[in-house]
């Protein structure tokens, strides 16, 4: 069997990620950090395997569709360096859009939720795949084919950016230069993304570049006063691998059935997670607005107490 340069690059990069995973696992156990548990790690491997199987099953269709659309390309970039630069940037932006849809449309969240269902955060969490994503991911990448990028190159660019996305699934604090943290996704950024804290919900969607989040209002830095809690806002009681894949579909189906009219049924499917026809549950943006109002109220009360304290001690006097 003859391997191409792209094959060797991908194999080498995946090998690098696997080695780093074992290194992180070793130091976790050595320092008793409890970053890994056997059950959680095996669940991650199971979900990754399920996604790989679906990936292989849809590979021919994905390749054919991208190749077909390539025939209708609007332009072609001849400079090889510019070609790859534009491809990586465009692919990363389209991933940001795909990822954002996965958080803001409940039907897609029902599939993406598997990646967020772990209460642990380590390099194997990066392999905790959105199992059914291969069934629809290609439709988000069709613009790349119309932009003159070949199917092989699109898939290669996706693999490379995916590997970078795996590397930021770590709790180890790594200091980067400020310019790097402004442009690229870091472990700190991605810890926020996996948090169930209200402040952090639906933030930092980028795979390689954090610029998309900064520009489109989905950026949130990690704050020392708001320690990250991993997992979902409501964890499923059954954490078996099958239920992890289907539990949100089950909940979505139940909500659609109880909706009083057809429009509400559609809203349960296409509105953000947390939307409800009777207000019994809330979407992340509403909860974040309430959090900001609560924090502002506490801040104002604290300022009033400080002013009152100064007045009581006679340190403030009226003038005029």
């Amino acid at each position: 069997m003859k391997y191409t340069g792209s094959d060797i690059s991908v194999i080498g990069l995946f090998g690098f990620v696997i080695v780093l995973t074992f290194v992180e696992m070793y130091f976790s156990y050595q320092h008793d950090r409890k970053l890994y548990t056997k059950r959680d790690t095996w669940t991650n491997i199971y979900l990754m395997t399920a996604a790989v199987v679906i990936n292989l099953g849809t590979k021919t269709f994905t390749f054919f569709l991208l190749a077909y659309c390539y025939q209708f390309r609007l332009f072609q970039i001849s400079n090889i360096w510019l070609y790859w630069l534009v491809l990586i940037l465009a692919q990363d932006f389209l991933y940001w859009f795909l990822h954002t849809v996965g958080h803001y449309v409940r039907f897609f969240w029902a599939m993406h939720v598997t990646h967020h269902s772990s209460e642990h955060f380590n390099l194997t969490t990066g392999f905790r795949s959105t199992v059914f994503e291969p069934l629809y991911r290609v439709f988000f990448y069709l613009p790349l084919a119309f932009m003159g990028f070949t199917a092989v190159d699109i898939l290669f660019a996706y693999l490379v950016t995916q590997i970078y996305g795996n590397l930021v699934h770590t709790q180890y604090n790594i200091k980067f230069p400020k310019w790097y943290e402004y442009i690229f996704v870091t472990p700190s950024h991605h810890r926020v993304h996996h948090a169930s804290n209200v402040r952090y919900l639906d933030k930092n969607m980028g795979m390689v570049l954090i610029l998309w989040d900064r520009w489109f209002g989905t950026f949130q830095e990690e704050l020392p006063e708001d320690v990250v809690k991993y997992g979902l806002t409501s964890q499923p009681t059954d954490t078996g691998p099958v239920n992890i894949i289907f539990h949100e579909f089950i909940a979505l189906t139940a909500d659609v059935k109880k909706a009083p009219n057809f429009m509400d049924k559609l809203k349960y499917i296409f509105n953000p997670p947390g939307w409800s026809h009777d207000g019994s549950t809330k979407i992340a943006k509403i909860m974040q607005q309430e959090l900001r109002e609560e924090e502002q109220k506490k801040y104002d009360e604290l300022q009033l107490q400080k002013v009152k304290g100064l007045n009581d001690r006679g340190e403030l006097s009226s003038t005029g």
Side-chain angles (χ1 to χ4, degrees):
M1 181 181 291
K2 186 177 181 180
Y3 291 97
T4 65
S6 296
D7 293 332
I8 295 171
S9 298
V10 170
I11 292 170
L13 288 170
F14 269 114
F16 177 64
V17 173
I18 291 170
V19 170
L20 279 183
T21 301
F22 281 114
V23 169
E24 183 187 58
M25 196 177 292
Y26 170 78
F27 280 107
S28 172
Y29 283 113
Q30 277 290 100
H31 299 119
D32 196 30
R33 294 197 61 180
K34 296 181 174 60
L35 301 181
Y36 289 82
T37 66
K38 288 182 180 179
R39 180 181 176 84
D40 185 74
T41 301
W42 280 113
T43 300
N44 294 343
I45 294 171
Y46 168 85
L47 293 171
M48 178 189 70
T49 304
V52 168
V53 170
I54 295 178
N55 256 307
L56 292 174
T58 58
K59 186 176 181 180
T60 300
F61 170 76
T62 298
F63 187 88
F64 171 80
L65 186 57
L66 290 172
Y68 178 78
C69 292
Y70 177 74
Q71 299 176 79
F72 305 99
R73 57 193 178 277
L74 302 175
F75 54 86
Q76 186 80 55
I77 301 175
S78 56
N79 182 288
I80 189 64
W81 297 104
L82 183 61
Y83 176 94
W84 280 103
L85 176 62
V86 173
L87 173 55
I88 293 294
L89 291 176
Q91 187 274 324
D92 196 57
F93 169 72
L94 290 174
Y95 173 80
W96 175 88
F97 179 64
L98 161 67
H99 198 177
T100 302
V101 169
H103 279 255
Y104 284 90
V105 178
R106 192 176 176 191
F107 174 74
F108 289 101
W109 172 248
M111 291 178 274
H112 184 59
V113 70
T114 57
H115 184 62
H116 286 266
S117 58
S118 175
E119 294 181 277
H120 301 273
F121 189 73
N122 53 61
L123 286 172
T124 66
T125 309
F127 296 108
R128 194 182 186 97
S129 303
T130 302
V131 174
F132 296 118
E133 187 178 288
L135 298 174
Y136 60 87
R137 182 173 57 219
V138 64
F139 297 103
F140 286 84
Y141 290 149
L142 289 183
L144 298 175
F146 291 118
M147 291 170 65
F149 299 108
T150 67
V152 171
D153 291 342
I154 292 170
L155 296 176
F156 178 73
Y158 172 76
L159 284 172
V160 171
T161 54
Q162 185 73 33
I163 289 169
Y164 182 90
N166 273 84
L167 292 175
V168 296
H169 289 82
T170 182
Q171 291 189 52
Y172 282 94
N173 289 313
I174 304 171
K175 296 297 181 182
F176 294 94
K178 287 186 177 180
W179 66 266
Y180 188 95
E181 291 191 346
Y182 187 83
I183 298 173
F184 295 101
V185 174
T186 67
S188 177
H189 297 149
H190 209 61
R191 287 195 290 269
V192 165
H193 179 69
H194 275 262
S196 60
N197 313 45
V198 169
R199 188 192 316 277
Y200 297 150
L201 295 176
D202 301 336
K203 300 297 183 181
N204 301 354
M205 308 288 187
M207 176 80 82
V208 175
L209 298 179
I210 199 66
L211 288 174
W212 315 123
D213 294 288
R214 293 185 185 277
W215 292 344
F216 296 109
T218 52
F219 175 74
Q220 172 63 53
E221 64 179 329
E222 185 178 14
L223 301 176
E225 65 269 24
D226 200 354
V227 178
V228 169
K229 179 184 178 184
Y230 299 104
L232 304 174
T233 54
S234 179
Q235 286 291 130
T237 53
D238 179 0
T239 57
V242 175
N243 191 60
I244 288 296
I245 294 176
F246 293 106
H247 77 274
E248 183 62 18
F249 279 112
I250 295 170
L252 174 57
T253 301
D255 286 339
V256 169
K257 286 181 178 179
K258 74 179 182 183
N261 56 61
F262 180 72
M263 287 305 299
D264 283 338
K265 292 181 187 296
L266 290 180
K267 288 178 181 178
Y268 271 115
I269 296 171
F270 296 108
N271 275 12
W275 181 88
S276 59
H277 71 279
D278 57 2
S280 57
T281 56
K282 302 172 184 177
I283 66 173
K285 283 188 175 181
I286 298 297
M287 292 191 290
Q288 288 165 347
Q289 177 62 33
E290 291 176 348
L291 176 63
R292 286 192 293 269
E293 291 173 356
E294 181 183 341
E295 290 180 336
Q296 184 63 48
K297 182 180 178 181
K298 288 181 179 179
Y299 175 79
D300 292 342
E301 289 175 351
L302 182 61
Q303 295 303 110
L304 285 173
Q305 289 174 5
K306 287 181 179 179
V307 170
K308 185 177 183 300
L310 291 173
N311 280 327
D312 291 344
R313 293 196 299 271
E315 295 181 22
L316 289 181
S317 61
S318 60
T319 60

